[in-house]
Amino acid sequence: MHDKTVAELARDLEQGTVSSVELTRHFLDRIRQDDTRYNSFITVTEDEALKDAKAADDRRARGEATPWTGIPFAHKDIFCTDGVRTTCGSRMLENFVPPYDATVTARFRDAGAVCLGKTNMDEFAMGSSTESSYYGATVNPWGDNLVPGGSSGGSAAAVAARLVPAATGTDTGGSIRQPAAMCGITGLKPTYGRVSRYGMIAFASSLDQGGTMARTAEDNALMLNVMAGFDPKDSTCIDRPVPDYTANLNEPLKGLKVGLPKEYFTDQLDDRMAGQVRAAIAEYEKLGATVQEISLPNTHLAIAAYYIIAPAEASANLSRFDGVRYGYRCEAPKDLMDLYTRTRAEGFGEEVKRRILVGTYALSAGYYDAYYLKAQKVRRLIQQDFIEAFKSVDIIMGPAAPTPAFGIGSKTDDPVKMYLEDIYTIAINLAGVPAMSVPAGQIDGLPVGLQLIGNYFDEARLLNAAHQFQQATDWHTLTPAG
Amino acid sequence: MQWEVVIGLEIHVQLATQTKIFSGTSTAYGAAPNTQASAVDLAMPGTLPVANEQAFRYATMFGLAIDAEINRRSVFERKNYFYPDLPKGYQTTQLAQPIVGPGHVDIRLENGAEKRVRIHHAHLEEDAGKSLHEDYHGMTGIDLNRAGTPLIEIVTEPDMRSAEEAVAFARKLHGLVTSLGICDGDMSQGSMRFDVNVSIRPQGTDQLGTRTETKNLNSFRFMEAAIHHEVERQIDILEDGGEIVQETRLYNGDRDESRSMRTKEEANDYRYFPCPDLLPVEIDDAFIDSLRSAMPELPDAKEARFKADYGLSDYDAGLLSNNAATADYFEATAKTGGDAKLAANWILGELSARLNAAELNIKQSPVSAERLGTLVQRIADNTLSSSGAKKVFEALWNGDEADVDAIIDREGLKQVSDTGELEKLVDSVLADMGDQIEQYRAEDDPKKRKKLMGGFMGPLMKASKGQGNPKLLNDILQKKLEG
């Protein structure tokens, strides 16, 4: 049952061969048995899930089911869930129970989906390995000593381990695509503004985007059908019709123009990774795509610009965690300054504090022009690179991550090494275009992701290209031995 | 040395929108603490701001009223600082691209001359909550009802040269925003708050002296006193050979004292940057034109109309037109009363005095415009003498619910204006005053005659039980004495 996709489970539910309560029990059992090993969940909401499953079965009996009614899944613990603790991976929110749903949460709820719990993540989504979580690191199902990537590592691991068929994620600099690649699943970061950010705890507001994580492109399409769309509560959410993302999955790829940025295929790229990616691209040529080299000339500036803009925004976004209204508060503060300093010193982890400091510095008087303003100029150049590229190609392809999953603890002492994990994903967030990671090979038995980058609001084309690849290959069906 | 005072103002004006600037929460004043604070206002994790279109309308109307450039594109920025009543840890405000660009407000000085005060810009921003330091046993209470109330902050150029000019400007501004209907103008509830930048320099020099900023003055009286206090403080320092420190000061109006809040060195680095949760707001000509065509009558136009239509003096027309509520009250009173000048006198005289003494604004007046109008009508048609009118007003002020006419009847205040009846009265009183009549007629000095005449009026009024029309009695008396 747990090897089935969302699409298959939806058919089973529709045909009545299984009930939502049965499905929910089955996946909850798996979480209970196996997640002690992976630590992919921070909170499991067994009682709520069974209640929701019962309600879903009733709804189906009334003939009011949607494709998601009764489907178990999980939310990254960054999406606020009404009445259910939402920690964002931080001690700061250890006891925070929001009295409201994120728009994404509400949409799955309205569709009748059954949330089994909240998945682990790097603290405030700051990290590429899910090791900075206050609730302990998540383990990659492909190897007990390996990280799942991050920051949506809990969601990626839970899907890879078949603890849930699908999970939400968020992606600020690669936080969906990089863990999807390392866990051998399919993940999509939509166009900035496609999915509401309301109730999604902010890291870097101009870069954060909620997205989808599942085993197949088709399941990603089904998720996006629920998540995408205008939300009057988010001023940056774009009012634009939402297509049925499953409608074009079976379109042939003949004539698809694929661009390979020469900046991604340099001698910096690991030979074996390059080999895997090129093999996947050869598969696309077999499917009828034409391939050409393109240039994204400002690629080399992306990480520097990102590590100014994202921490700058984060430094302000995280100011609200002050111990005054909710969340962690230090014991017996002497005065206001003591309340602030100890609450924040004790409530935030090292990486979060590092980024607040970097961001605060970058915005300080006398440095603003040299750092923040310059980074914004670079950002526009990078956007321009993509706009130019999409004049001649339909999809840009490259690696999703520089390496397969790395060892737990192997990069925690060197933040810059960790930051370079996102070297192929960060520019996409700066530009705001959509991108996916699709399982496309293995190195030493560990999954490798192919990144597909689309033009603004071209998610349907990305999903179509990913689905066609998955019809021709079986990388996405490989299961970790555990 | 002769010193010249240089004053610039920053004025926070609360906009009279139904809801907050970035959330749908009500802005009504006076609710129980934190009952008007939603998840957005509390800066709960993941919540996002959505800009209130009405706030943009009001800010644009203000810009049009001061003949300012309306910026087609304005940008909200985050001003970062920690304070318990600032839930997000930053204030969302405008800095580099405010909605209202340079404009001006013309004021009339004591000597009747006009003066132009330039407005540097006005920007939209959110108000903070309130920290309550009393009644919490050494702790601080936080009330976030006010957090997110829309403000425009109006920044003037340093164009004022005395406390009196600053107050004249402030009153003019108050009249402007209340006439526009964009602010309720209730200073006691903090609807308008003034920060005063003051510096002094030797008379005749051009260079500005070091300034101080005195923050958060919420009455014209305190603002005037604070400026006087600060000017004296600066003069004392400079004349003693000291230097002014650029700093922010707090003024205690009850004690007429001020103290330093923070110096320039201690000032926050606010680390402004454009708010990524709010896109730049673009407004078009159609938006501006629709507001321009619907602008209400502004105080200057109203003043001209009051002079032309009601024959009021410059002074009365100026006072009555500056405040929309007062102007409305005046027009309603004049309409019922029929005699606009008399209505103006009553409003600016008795009513204003009583309202001031009771610390009420005209909207809170216990005497409605209609009732005061009826009173005016009864004075104009000679039903009431001025002393009778005062008695009726007293009853109205004290909440007497009877009709004006019923009060007049009940209190026996109706004036006797029947000349035949009054003549009989005069005859009967004069019959017993032969000596005084002789004395009066023998007197040549007109001043002394006038005084002697007063000696007859007392007994006459007494004989008429105070109801005789004094003017008619006077006329009849004069005729009889001369006869």
Side-chain angles (χ1 to χ4, degrees):
Chain A
M1 192 141 54
H2 52 267
D3 283 324
K4 290 188 172 178
T5 65
V6 171
E8 287 163 349
L9 293 174
R11 275 192 289 276
D12 290 350
L13 283 168
E14 199 184 340
Q15 285 160 11
T17 56
V18 70
S19 71
S20 177
V21 170
E22 288 169 310
L23 270 184
T24 301
R25 286 223 168 90
H26 178 76
F27 282 106
L28 285 171
D29 286 347
R30 284 185 63 76
I31 294 169
R32 204 178 307 112
Q33 281 159 22
D34 291 355
D35 204 42
T36 48
R37 199 169 132 199
Y38 307 127
N39 193 34
S40 65
F41 279 82
I42 292 175
T43 304
V44 180
T45 51
E46 203 161 327
D47 294 345
E48 290 91 338
L50 286 168
K51 216 169 74 198
D52 290 350
K54 178 75 175 59
D57 286 333
D58 293 347
R59 177 171 171 178
R60 186 171 293 283
R62 290 196 306 273
E64 295 163 9
T66 78
W68 275 92
T69 303
I71 302 282
F73 78 115
H75 278 303
K76 184 177 181 178
D77 205 18
I78 199 169
F79 289 100
C80 286
T81 37
D82 191 351
V84 173
R85 174 172 86 135
T86 301
T87 70
C88 220
S90 181
R91 183 186 194 190
M92 191 60 93
L93 293 176
E94 190 172 7
N95 298 310
F96 177 65
V97 178
Y100 50 93
D101 268 337
T103 297
V104 163
T105 316
R107 288 192 170 164
F108 275 106
R109 208 187 283 281
D110 291 347
V114 178
C115 179
L116 305 189
K118 311 293 292 288
T119 61
N120 204 357
M121 57 183 286
D122 281 299
E123 185 180 9
F124 284 102
M126 296 176 185
S128 304
S129 66
T130 317
E131 291 168 283
S132 74
S133 170
Y134 177 67
Y135 306 90
T138 293
V139 171
N140 190 324
W142 290 87
D144 278 347
N145 55 353
L146 298 177
V147 302
S151 66
S152 309
S155 287
V159 171
R162 272 70 171 158
L163 306 185
V164 279
T168 54
T170 62
D171 190 316
T172 305
S175 281
I176 286 175
R177 292 159 288 159
Q178 185 255 19
M182 290 189 172
C183 291
I185 67 162
T186 307
L188 165 66
K189 179 205 90 77
T191 307
Y192 183 79
R194 178 78 289 189
V195 171
S196 170
R197 293 187 297 112
Y198 186 84
M200 192 179 105
I201 299 175
F203 159 17
S205 312
S206 75
L207 299 160
D208 295 343
Q209 182 61 202
T212 59
M213 302 179 86
R215 291 202 301 282
T216 66
E218 184 183 20
D219 285 0
N220 275 265
L222 286 167
M223 288 185 85
L224 193 58
N225 277 350
V226 175
M227 290 169 76
F230 179 62
D231 177 11
K233 289 194 274 192
D234 175 1
S235 309
T236 63
C237 193
I238 293 164
D239 192 0
R240 188 185 162 109
V242 179
D244 175 359
Y245 289 105
T246 62
N248 299 325
L249 292 176
N250 292 314
E251 298 271 317
L253 297 186
K254 190 159 173 50
L256 183 79
K257 287 178 281 184
V258 172
L260 304 183
K262 63 181 183 197
E263 292 79 7
Y264 288 11
F265 295 90
T266 65
D267 48 11
Q268 300 281 305
L269 179 60
D270 176 84
D271 280 347
R272 292 197 294 173
M273 182 62 80
Q276 295 293 314
V277 171
R278 288 198 186 280
I281 288 161
E283 193 63 43
Y284 269 102
E285 288 183 292
K286 276 195 246 165
L287 291 168
T290 59
V291 174
Q292 56 182 287
E293 187 183 86
I294 60 160
S295 177
L296 299 170
N298 294 292
T299 299
H300 65 289
L301 300 172
I303 287 213
Y306 176 90
Y307 277 99
I308 297 295
I309 293 167
E313 292 181 7
S315 72
N317 282 335
L318 271 59
S319 293
R320 66 188 60 196
F321 303 106
D322 57 5
V324 174
R325 296 167 311 286
Y326 51 75
Y328 181 78
R329 178 186 288 179
C330 68
E331 290 286 334
K334 285 201 307 283
D335 54 25
L336 184 60
M337 192 51 73
D338 189 43
L339 169 73
Y340 285 152
T341 52
R342 274 203 293 130
T343 294
R344 290 168 65 81
E346 294 163 15
F348 288 137
E350 286 310 305
E351 183 58 28
V352 171
K353 281 185 259 193
R354 180 180 294 122
R355 296 200 196 189
I356 290 173
L357 284 173
V358 168
T360 302
Y361 181 85
L363 291 173
S364 295
Y367 298 104
Y368 180 84
D369 289 2
Y371 292 110
Y372 185 81
L373 220 52
K374 185 156 278 179
Q376 289 292 12
K377 285 179 188 160
V378 167
R379 182 175 189 172
R380 277 191 288 280
L381 293 176
I382 287 168
Q383 282 167 341
Q384 211 49 49
D385 282 358
F386 282 96
I387 290 167
E388 276 306 308
F390 284 117
K391 286 178 181 167
S392 53
V393 300
D394 300 317
I395 290 183
I396 296 170
M397 292 189 188
T403 62
F406 51 88
I408 289 174
S410 67
K411 297 192 182 187
T412 41
D413 293 339
D414 187 344
V416 174
K417 243 188 212 168
M418 192 70 94
Y419 296 169
L420 290 173
E421 269 302 304
D422 294 330
I423 191 162
Y424 299 111
T425 47
I426 267 176
I428 283 84
N429 298 78
L430 290 169
V433 293
M436 292 185 75
S437 176
V438 179
Q442 285 195 340
I443 294 175
D444 295 335
L446 295 177
V448 161
L450 172 72
Q451 186 171 211
L452 314 183
I453 306 161
N455 205 345
Y456 295 97
F457 295 100
D458 220 0
E459 287 85 358
R461 193 196 297 265
L462 287 180
L463 289 161
N464 167 225
H467 181 71
Q468 289 305 303
F469 184 79
Q470 291 180 344
Q471 298 306 296
T473 64
D474 58 4
W475 299 114
H476 64 291
T477 65
L478 298 183
T479 309
Chain B
M1 189 181 300
Q2 281 292 97
W3 297 98
E4 184 180 43
V5 178
V6 178
I7 300 166
L9 300 178
E10 292 166 28
I11 308 98
H12 289 92
V13 174
Q14 281 187 351
L15 297 179
T17 54
Q18 296 294 303
T19 56
K20 294 187 177 181
I21 187 167
F22 298 123
S23 77
T25 319
S26 168
T27 53
Y29 181 85
N34 297 311
T35 55
Q36 287 176 180
S38 67
V40 175
D41 308 322
L42 290 167
M44 296 286 246
T47 59
L48 294 170
V50 177
N52 181 338
E53 189 175 339
Q54 189 64 24
F56 277 83
R57 282 200 199 94
Y58 283 171
T60 303
M61 285 166 71
F62 176 74
L64 293 171
I66 62 161
D67 202 16
E69 189 66 30
I70 307 298
N71 290 320
R72 298 300 191 272
R73 179 186 170 93
S74 57
V75 175
F76 283 110
E77 306 208 20
R78 294 180 179 179
K79 177 183 183 180
N80 294 285
Y81 64 97
F82 285 98
Y83 205 70
D85 59 24
L86 186 73
K88 295 190 292 288
Y90 56 82
Q91 181 193 28
T92 307
T93 179
Q94 298 180 323
L95 180 73
Q97 292 175 269
I99 170 106
V100 176
H104 58 85
V105 171
D106 295 333
I107 58 172
R108 186 172 306 121
L109 305 182
E110 298 264 297
N111 62 10
E114 289 244 322
K115 171 161 187 166
R116 175 155 290 190
V117 175
R118 293 167 300 154
I119 305 296
H120 180 273
H121 77 272
H123 64 256
L124 275 166
E125 63 182 24
E126 61 184 336
D127 211 341
K130 279 183 190 164
S131 293
L132 309 166
H133 299 292
E134 288 160 23
D135 305 330
Y136 290 91
H137 314 288
M139 295 188 289
T140 298
I142 307 293
D143 178 6
L144 295 174
N145 283 355
R146 196 180 69 177
T149 298
L151 301 174
I152 45 173
E153 181 175 337
I154 301 159
V155 180
T156 76
E157 297 286 356
D159 284 353
M160 286 150 281
R161 293 291 174 270
S162 68
E164 292 69 28
E165 284 186 25
V167 170
F169 170 81
R171 288 189 186 278
K172 186 73 186 274
L173 198 67
H174 185 267
L176 209 53
V177 297
T178 51
S179 299
L180 286 166
I182 65 174
C183 174
D184 66 17
D186 196 331
M187 314 258 298
S188 65
Q189 295 177 0
S191 294
M192 251 179 123
R193 309 193 293 270
F194 299 89
D195 299 343
V196 187
N197 288 282
V198 176
S199 64
I200 60 171
R201 62 186 173 192
Q203 197 72 255
T205 56
D206 286 341
Q207 194 151 5
L208 290 168
T210 303
R211 69 186 156 85
T212 62
E213 182 182 27
T214 304
K215 273 188 139 19
N216 234 349
L217 302 161
N218 63 359
S219 78
F220 299 129
R221 193 161 57 86
F222 279 164
M223 184 175 96
E224 187 169 8
I227 294 170
H228 283 309
H229 174 91
E230 181 59 16
V231 167
E232 277 168 37
R233 195 187 69 87
Q234 292 191 12
I235 291 174
D236 285 349
I237 290 172
L238 291 183
E239 293 192 341
D240 287 350
E243 277 182 25
I244 306 299
V245 179
Q246 187 176 335
E247 63 187 351
T248 304
R249 300 186 65 83
L250 278 181
Y251 175 73
N252 182 327
D254 297 327
R255 296 173 165 190
D256 194 33
E257 286 171 0
S258 69
R259 63 175 172 85
S260 179
M261 204 167 116
R262 59 175 174 264
T263 63
K264 192 185 173 191
E265 284 69 35
E266 296 160 340
N268 280 314
D269 176 0
Y270 291 119
R271 306 188 309 280
Y272 283 93
F273 74 105
C275 179
D277 287 329
L278 291 158
L279 301 173
V281 175
E282 310 259 1
I283 56 175
D284 57 17
D285 290 345
F287 179 85
I288 295 170
D289 291 344
S290 72
L291 292 170
R292 199 195 306 273
S293 62
M295 287 283 272
E297 187 180 37
L298 296 180
D300 286 350
K302 205 165 253 176
E303 181 181 335
R305 185 167 60 80
F306 284 3
K307 285 193 278 191
D309 291 4
Y310 299 114
L312 298 185
S313 67
D314 284 0
Y315 183 75
D316 286 358
L319 286 177
L320 289 170
S321 61
N322 192 43
N323 179 304
T326 308
D328 291 346
Y329 189 98
F330 161 69
E331 293 207 79
T333 308
K335 193 179 168 201
T336 310
D339 186 326
K341 282 189 193 172
L342 202 51
N345 288 343
W346 272 87
I347 292 166
L348 297 173
E350 191 68 21
L351 181 68
S352 290
R354 299 299 290 264
L355 289 172
N356 284 342
E359 294 186 350
L360 295 173
N361 67 47
I362 199 153
K363 283 190 198 160
Q364 299 162 321
S365 170
V367 184
S368 72
E370 285 64 32
R371 278 157 79 75
L372 185 62
T374 309
L375 178 63
V376 165
Q377 200 184 351
R378 292 293 166 259
I379 301 164
D381 68 10
N382 280 326
T383 305
L384 281 174
S385 66
S386 62
S387 64
K390 282 199 174 125
K391 283 180 190 152
V392 174
F393 182 85
E394 190 65 30
L396 296 177
W397 179 268
N398 290 321
D400 196 324
E401 286 178 7
D403 283 351
V404 169
D405 288 331
I407 296 171
I408 294 170
D409 284 348
R410 191 185 69 208
E411 304 294 322
L413 295 170
K414 190 166 178 175
Q415 210 166 219
V416 177
S417 299
D418 180 320
T419 46
E421 203 172 314
L422 290 175
E423 220 160 307
K424 278 186 213 155
L425 187 81
V426 173
D427 286 344
S428 76
V429 171
L430 289 186
D432 295 338
M433 298 180 80
D435 291 354
Q436 287 95 323
I437 297 171
E438 286 302 310
Q439 199 185 347
Y440 176 85
R441 287 180 177 157
E443 183 58 60
D444 287 335
D445 183 343
K447 267 193 187 165
K448 288 187 179 161
R449 277 173 79 103
K450 204 173 176 186
K451 202 178 168 198
L452 288 170
M453 176 105 159
F456 296 100
M457 279 306 283
L460 275 175
M461 286 309 289
K462 200 175 170 191
S464 80
K465 295 181 187 119
Q467 292 177 30
N469 182 326
K471 189 168 180 303
L472 291 177
L473 278 176
N474 195 62
D475 290 351
I476 295 165
L477 175 68
Q478 200 153 8
K479 208 169 65 194
K480 301 265 177 196
L481 289 174
E482 301 304 327

